[in-house]
Amino acid sequence: MEAVAAGEVSVQDEAVDKSTFKKCNQIAFYRRQKLLHPGKSLYRALLDSVMLSDENVKFQIIHEENKVPLQVEICEIEGSIFRLKIEEESPLRARYKVPDVLIKEPTTQRLLISQKEAGILVLSSINEDYKLQITANPFQVELQSKGETVLSMNSNGLLYFEHLQPCPSDRILTTEKKEAASDSSKEKQEDLGLWQEKFGSFLDIKACGPSSVGMDFSLHGFDHVYGIPQHTEALLLKNTSDGDAYRLYNLDIFGHKLHDKIGIYGSVPLLLAHKPNRTSGIFWLNSSETLVDIGTKTVAEPSGSAAGTAKQRAVPLTDVRWMSESGIIDVFLLTGPTAFDVFKQFAQLTGTQALPPLFSLGYHQCRWNYEDEQDVKRVDAGFDEHDIPYDVIWLDIEHTDGKRYFTWDKKKFQNPRKMQEHLRKKKRKLVVIVDPHIKVDPMYSLYSQAKDKGYFVKDRNGQDFEGICWSGSSCYLDFTNPEVREWYADQFAFKTYKESTNILFVWNDMNEPSVFKGAELTMQKDAVHYNNWEHREVHNLYGFYQQMATAEGLIRRSSGKERPFVLTRSFFAGSQKYGAVWTGDNTAEWGYLKISIPMLLTISIAGISFCGADVGGFIGDPEPELLVRWYQAGAYQPFFRGHSNMESKRREPWLFGEKNTQIIREAIRERYVLLPYLYTLFYRAHTAAEPVMRPLWVEFPRKIETFCVENEYMLGNALLVHPVTEQEAKAVSVLLPGPEEIWYDFRKFKRMEDPGIVKILVTLENIPVFQRGGTVIPVKTTAGKSTEWMIDISYELRVALDTKACATGELYLDDGHSFQYLHKKQFLYRKLAFHKNILSSSCADQSGQYHTACVVERVIVLGFGQQPTSVTACSKGGKKKEVLFTYDMETSALKLEKLALSVDADWEIYIN
């Protein structure tokens, strides 16, 4: 690494001491809320204020002590979602309500009042499946499904709502007064941080005073809860103790600690609860700093046995307490009842995963930094020399002119367009970094334009907020302003972004936002955004908005024709609509490989399917074995990118000796061969909100043994992947859910003896991957140099039979890069089915029209009972023809070859 010039910033500015970040008990609103202990709520519902309309039910609740009335609004949204809003009846000034995250104002269904008597109001959904029972004193809401209580709200009396107050005139004490003010009430006020809050040398002035909100939810019969990314934590959420809540506050934590509940780069305030017969979700729509307490316990309930006997049974109950710094209470109850229903309900509110361009599902090679054009060409050539497929090479901050984004370093990148044309000829792409901080430099046109237009976030005194980041002294674009987003999107136009071409895509980093030397390495909470909202209100949305504007810019530069690819580090609920995310600055240690699996599973079930972790670990130098194991894991995860820090040694895949090069090559090739299946899974994520990477319990919801599993996962419904995350492992214990399931070794085609926990011997060559009986997986017959080289490569179908000797699968196909699939219905969606010894391909969606010359060349049927006497194939309207086949007695795998059956036609294969 070069010596850092005076006034410049270095890695050390980001790699700060962990005491830079707050612990929960250093957060004033958390301390205030924790003064309210579980017990009888002081809120009472005024049931004589109930107003029923087609859209909702409204009524007032009042606090018995401060007498401030709050307005409660309850509505049912199509698809069995219930929304509960609580806000001030007449606030002193407007309170922040999160915009732009919901894809539209949800369509509501009329609720009916089915019971209203002393102190109780019961609302029923139209289909009467669900009832909401509202108790007046103390105020409580219970959600029931067919007589069973699913969850209750405020049953622990922790509803908390700080109404806005006028500023006390002495809120900012002068030095003289401070010295005089020794009485305990002033000290107490400071400790509660109502009007100002200190952390180290930072003072947060709260112009609007305290405005914290909170609520408790009790999940009946549930003791497994998941979600609320992003934390370096287990898949199954843990019980929290005082001062150790899960924190949702987007922060740049370089080399984040393992098993820590501090918030890192992104936040999705969605929690899922699961038990064998039901999955439910709670979506807490609030973009200010949020803390979540979780406690699971056992309670006694009547067992419902014969009349007259008071038998009780022990049932689990999980209490979840949400605490946010500001805003209103706006919560969505996602009733499921299956996990896939919950995913659909969440997507109905926040949108589905954008369909990525196919190239972005290939392998990405990144480093901070590839030095210059020659370095880029050398690395690109290295992949061809070593016969390793890859699609994208990435440029980090050093490619710019002094960290001025949208520019090029003229010495190192003298002809960026020519470099891109070189990559284009190789059918490859380039991704460059574009961070949100803008170098303070009047000669830099992006800065001067934004300054003139007033597009930067302001400090509390109305000046442009200035902080330190990679470019030194920097200002931060206010992406919460729609006008700024419009202008920013225009910066990606080819005529504006000089030397950019249509193979250049974008990486948004440091967008929590990261502010070196700032409070917790981020922006002051009292900075001011569009419409005078303080940063505290919008903090967790900042990265979401930058990615939104970037994706829009890439779409716009192609006149709406081409799909964008944008990777973001910071995210929120709904970020799936704009691209991909990754887990941030991990470390080259075994523990980080291991934790990446639950981290990615948590992000996936929170709606963001396109996620990955830096292969090899960003910080430090992985030993060759760790690097190999990370490539093998990454090849079976949605976003697949190798990345490393400037202080790490170079680690292109061929630098670790021939044996390791060979194993990494094989792992990457496996990924490329699997792309038809992976792309089909992304189509399902895009259209049906099904996560690409799934915890086992999602596929096997009644199998309790799967509920805590986080060292293996399902890729779609057909593949079970168990990465090897222990050093020098000779064997791994794999859970193959059963007993009615059949599992096959994905590479050797052999049926596994018995489901359950199976000890699998492993070598360094590969990791255990199994295909589930009853599935058909489309793959390519061989890998190419990049995804674009593979368009015409033929297909192979892997048909794994279940206990009934049946299997089904799908294949989705389009041009891989444009929006034609959407606007012109240019796509193919095929259903593949094996039943009664006939394999058929039929159209799964008649509206799709896309022609391909590609053929199905080979079929492998796993678990076929006996050697057939003959096999024939017949295309629709054609003649039957004999098919070449071989049968392996040892594995019971039947291989059909030289088929040449059109991918876009109906056909059948008969096995006699």
Side-chain angles (χ1 to χ4, degrees):
M1 183 183 154
E2 293 168 40
V4 176
E8 279 195 24
V9 288
S10 78
V11 180
Q12 283 6 86
D13 287 287
E14 193 178 21
V16 293
D17 186 75
K18 295 299 173 263
S19 64
T20 303
F21 303 103
K22 291 179 183 177
K23 292 188 163 52
C24 291
N25 52 20
Q26 293 173 295
I27 299 166
F29 77 85
Y30 174 79
R31 293 198 301 273
R32 297 199 300 273
Q33 291 223 20
K34 292 296 270 190
L35 293 173
L36 178 62
H37 297 292
K40 186 184 171 197
S41 177
L42 286 169
Y43 280 98
R44 170 170 59 90
L46 308 175
L47 294 186
D48 53 358
S49 69
V50 169
M51 287 168 60
L52 180 70
S53 73
D54 284 350
E55 279 75 49
N56 54 37
V57 176
K58 287 183 178 175
F59 55 90
Q60 285 184 340
I61 57 175
I62 196 157
H63 192 277
E64 298 288 20
E65 286 177 0
N66 66 28
K67 302 298 182 195
V68 173
L70 300 176
Q71 169 94 32
V72 177
E73 181 186 318
I74 297 176
C75 65
E76 182 183 2
I77 294 164
E78 273 181 1
S80 302
I81 301 166
F82 293 90
R83 184 181 197 176
L84 175 99
K85 276 206 256 191
I86 303 178
E87 49 189 308
E88 287 186 64
E89 181 75 16
S90 43
L92 200 58
R93 54 195 158 266
R95 295 183 73 114
Y96 190 72
K97 296 170 190 171
V98 176
D100 303 314
V101 167
L102 301 182
I103 52 174
K104 59 177 194 296
E105 195 48 43
T107 311
T108 56
Q109 293 178 321
R110 192 183 173 94
L111 283 163
L112 312 169
I113 294 178
S114 57
Q115 190 184 337
K116 191 178 180 185
E117 52 189 63
I120 285 187
L121 172 71
V122 179
L123 306 172
S124 297
S125 60
I126 287 180
N127 61 12
E128 294 195 348
D129 276 357
Y130 292 96
K131 285 187 166 55
L132 286 167
Q133 181 173 305
I134 295 143
T135 308
N137 196 8
F139 168 61
Q140 256 177 273
V141 182
E142 199 171 281
L143 174 69
Q144 300 165 348
S145 168
K146 297 172 181 154
E148 172 202 355
T149 300
V150 178
L151 63 78
S152 48
M153 289 168 273
N154 202 34
S155 46
N156 289 319
L158 298 172
L159 168 57
Y160 186 95
F161 205 105
E162 293 177 337
H163 60 281
L164 298 175
Q165 301 164 46
C167 313
S169 53
D170 62 344
R171 129 175 151 252
I172 300 166
L173 299 170
T174 61
T175 316
E176 298 83 5
K177 275 190 184 167
K178 258 189 191 163
E179 282 160 12
S182 60
D183 63 281
S184 63
S185 74
K186 286 263 166 45
E187 273 177 34
K188 191 179 173 199
Q189 273 229 354
E190 283 204 358
D191 180 57
L192 293 177
L194 298 170
W195 294 91
Q196 57 183 44
E197 184 175 351
K198 282 190 86 168
F199 177 61
S201 60
F202 299 101
L203 182 66
D204 172 18
I205 303 286
K206 302 178 182 184
C208 298
S211 55
S212 186
V213 298
M215 173 95 119
D216 69 90
F217 298 79
S218 296
L219 293 147
H220 296 254
F222 293 95
D223 53 0
H224 293 85
V225 288
Y226 310 90
I228 57 169
Q230 189 188 21
H231 304 93
T232 314
E233 253 303 0
L235 173 66
L236 186 68
L237 298 177
K238 298 171 178 173
N239 284 353
T240 58
S241 52
D242 271 356
D244 186 36
Y246 282 92
R247 192 175 177 202
L248 293 172
Y249 189 61
N250 298 350
L251 289 172
D252 174 7
I253 302 185
F254 183 86
H256 37 267
K257 206 165 89 200
L258 294 175
H259 295 290
D260 198 340
K261 297 186 187 73
I262 192 166
I264 48 176
Y265 311 97
S267 300
V268 182
L270 170 70
L271 179 135
L272 278 71
H274 179 69
K275 57 184 177 180
N277 64 339
R278 180 179 285 276
T279 308
S280 301
I282 300 170
F283 173 35
W284 177 266
L285 182 53
N286 191 301
S287 53
S288 69
E289 179 174 3
T290 297
L291 293 151
V292 185
D293 262 338
I294 293 166
T296 297
K297 58 190 179 200
T298 304
V299 293
E301 273 188 8
S303 66
S305 54
T309 61
K311 275 202 170 166
Q312 300 220 309
R313 60 185 182 132
V315 292
L317 178 86
T318 297
D319 291 322
V320 179
R321 181 181 187 178
W322 299 80
M323 296 163 273
S324 290
E325 182 173 12
S326 198
I328 64 166
I329 291 173
D330 189 1
V331 64
F332 298 81
L333 309 176
L334 314 178
T335 62
T338 70
F340 290 104
D341 292 327
V342 171
F343 301 145
K344 277 198 180 73
Q345 287 157 352
F346 185 60
Q348 187 185 322
L349 298 170
T350 65
T352 61
Q353 176 65 56
L355 183 64
L358 182 60
F359 80 80
S360 64
L361 300 186
Y363 173 64
H364 300 252
Q365 182 66 35
C366 188
R367 176 173 176 80
W368 177 21
N369 208 90
Y370 285 120
E371 294 299 324
D372 50 30
E373 287 173 9
Q374 285 62 45
D375 199 9
V376 169
K377 282 182 182 170
R378 269 196 302 273
V379 173
D380 175 71
F383 278 90
D384 292 336
E385 257 167 60
H386 297 91
D387 206 13
I388 300 172
Y390 98 106
D391 263 78
V392 196
I393 191 159
W394 291 49
L395 295 177
D396 210 318
I397 54 178
E398 312 301 328
H399 83 278
T400 59
D401 175 13
K403 319 294 186 298
R404 294 167 183 84
Y405 303 105
F406 300 97
T407 69
W408 304 87
D409 182 311
K410 290 182 179 64
K411 285 199 184 82
K412 296 174 180 173
F413 295 89
Q414 294 177 3
N415 198 337
R417 181 178 286 276
K418 193 175 170 192
M419 177 183 73
Q420 288 167 79
E421 291 310 325
H422 174 78
L423 291 170
R424 184 198 305 280
K425 283 194 187 102
K426 309 283 280 294
K427 301 191 197 312
R428 291 183 177 132
K429 312 282 185 274
L430 179 71
V431 165
V432 297
I433 199 164
V434 183
D435 291 349
H437 52 267
I438 306 296
K439 187 177 182 71
V440 173
D441 171 8
M443 303 307 291
Y444 173 29
S445 82
L446 198 73
Y447 170 79
S448 57
Q449 279 182 61
K451 185 162 185 66
D452 292 349
K453 292 172 187 287
Y455 283 171
F456 291 124
V457 178
K458 303 283 183 269
D459 64 20
R460 63 173 171 250
N461 302 315
Q463 302 302 306
D464 287 343
F465 174 88
E466 273 194 35
I468 306 286
C469 208
W470 297 127
S471 53
S473 192
S474 306
C475 288
Y476 290 74
L477 289 167
D478 185 3
F479 293 107
T480 67
N481 182 344
E483 192 183 314
V484 174
R485 294 198 300 273
E486 281 285 303
W487 171 82
Y488 191 72
D490 286 339
Q491 303 312 305
F492 292 93
F494 299 123
K495 66 174 190 300
T496 310
Y497 188 172
K498 303 293 185 216
E499 305 290 314
S500 69
T501 75
N502 64 359
I503 67 150
L504 176 146
F505 296 88
V506 180
W507 168 23
N508 293 150
D509 194 9
M510 314 299 286
N511 54 350
E512 294 71 32
S514 180
V515 180
F516 300 160
K517 301 182 173 60
E520 295 199 274
L521 242 66
T522 192
M523 190 174 278
Q524 285 275 121
K525 284 182 172 178
D526 55 15
V528 180
H529 288 261
Y530 173 65
N531 277 346
N532 274 332
W533 293 113
E534 284 187 304
H535 184 71
R536 79 185 74 253
E537 306 282 359
V538 303
H539 176 83
N540 286 343
L541 285 173
Y542 189 83
F544 166 89
Y545 275 131
Q546 189 197 9
Q547 190 189 22
M548 176 198 280
T550 304
E552 175 57 33
L554 295 186
I555 293 168
R556 204 180 280 177
R557 75 176 184 185
S558 73
S559 308
K561 293 188 178 76
E562 297 293 315
R563 288 177 236 165
F565 170 74
V566 185
L567 179 77
T568 181
R569 189 168 73 175
S570 184
F571 56 87
F572 192 68
S575 287
Q576 64 270 14
K577 297 187 290 288
Y578 308 115
V581 308
W582 92 106
T583 59
D585 296 346
N586 57 0
T587 301
E589 291 168 13
W590 287 91
Y592 286 85
L593 168 59
K594 197 173 198 168
I595 203 86
S596 68
I597 301 167
M599 287 178 77
L600 294 175
L601 287 171
T602 301
I603 292 168
S604 296
I605 60 176
I608 305 173
S609 265
F610 204 3
C611 58
D614 284 343
V615 168
F618 175 66
I619 301 159
D621 297 305
E623 62 210 72
E625 184 194 0
L626 173 58
L627 185 64
V628 162
R629 289 303 192 200
W630 217 316
Y631 269 105
Q632 291 168 336
Y636 285 89
Q637 289 164 354
F639 176 60
F640 186 27
R641 178 181 79 151
H643 186 31
S644 54
N645 187 336
M646 62 168 16
E647 294 182 340
S648 304
K649 293 174 187 154
R650 294 288 288 242
R651 63 165 95 131
E652 286 74 48
W654 51 86
L655 296 177
F656 297 85
E658 184 44 50
K659 186 189 174 207
N660 292 315
T661 301
Q662 171 56 32
I663 299 170
I664 293 171
R665 177 191 296 121
E666 195 45 46
I668 295 176
R669 279 185 180 168
E670 278 190 9
R671 163 63 163 229
Y672 275 76
V673 163
L674 196 63
L675 283 171
Y677 176 63
L678 205 52
Y679 196 52
T680 302
L681 293 181
F682 268 96
Y683 182 68
R684 294 294 305 171
H686 179 53
T687 54
E690 295 169 4
V692 170
M693 183 177 172
R694 307 168 189 173
L696 260 60
W697 65 262
V698 168
E699 282 295 325
F700 305 98
R702 292 181 179 274
K703 302 214 180 301
I704 292 167
E705 65 273 21
T706 67
F707 292 7
C708 300
V709 173
E710 58 170 39
N711 58 354
E712 60 186 54
Y713 54 90
M714 297 296 293
L715 198 57
N717 72 334
L719 281 183
L720 186 151
V721 183
H722 189 108
V724 177
T725 59
E726 299 293 337
Q727 195 171 3
E728 294 177 6
K730 299 285 183 279
V732 291
S733 291
V734 178
L735 173 64
L736 297 175
E740 64 289 348
E741 299 288 339
I742 296 177
W743 296 94
Y744 300 88
D745 184 310
F746 190 53
R747 297 184 193 89
K748 294 177 183 159
F749 308 144
K750 195 172 167 47
R751 178 178 168 168
M752 304 308 293
E753 287 305 318
D754 292 304
I757 293 175
V758 184
K759 185 180 177 184
I760 305 286
L761 300 177
V762 293
T763 63
L764 190 58
E765 269 62 34
N766 51 44
I767 59 169
V769 180
F770 303 93
Q771 185 172 352
R772 184 182 184 179
T775 63
V776 180
I777 293 182
V779 297
K780 288 280 188 173
T781 50
T782 183
K785 292 179 178 191
S786 72
T787 50
E788 225 182 293
W789 286 106
M790 293 176 63
I791 289 167
D792 297 325
I793 289 176
S794 59
Y795 287 85
E796 174 184 304
L797 303 179
R798 305 243 179 119
V799 182
L801 302 184
D802 62 12
T803 51
K804 299 185 178 74
C806 293
T808 57
E810 296 170 333
L811 171 62
Y812 173 79
L813 195 62
D814 61 21
D815 67 16
H817 60 86
S818 78
F819 283 110
Q820 295 267 38
Y821 78 93
L822 193 61
H823 306 317
K824 300 271 174 70
K825 298 292 177 192
Q826 289 283 309
F827 68 86
L828 269 185
Y829 193 27
R830 306 296 299 172
K831 184 185 177 190
L832 307 162
F834 189 95
H835 181 63
K836 293 185 174 170
N837 287 0
I838 299 170
L839 176 65
S840 63
S841 170
S842 57
C843 184
D845 185 341
Q846 297 291 346
S847 70
Q849 300 294 323
Y850 181 70
H851 180 65
T852 172
C854 249
V855 295
V856 173
E857 183 68 25
R858 190 159 57 220
V859 169
I860 301 174
V861 186
L862 313 184
F864 197 77
Q866 63 195 71
Q867 179 152 351
T869 52
S870 72
V871 180
T872 54
C874 181
S875 288
K876 197 174 182 181
K879 288 181 184 165
K880 279 193 180 183
K881 57 173 188 175
E882 290 290 320
V883 170
L884 202 67
F885 69 89
T886 50
Y887 183 73
D888 185 327
M889 306 288 269
E890 198 185 327
T891 60
S892 301
L894 172 66
K895 198 177 276 188
L896 316 179
E897 311 230 40
K898 298 187 177 168
L899 289 164
L901 293 165
S902 285
V903 168
D904 57 10
D906 290 0
W907 47 257
E908 289 181 334
I909 297 173
Y910 307 89
I911 303 171
N912 304 306

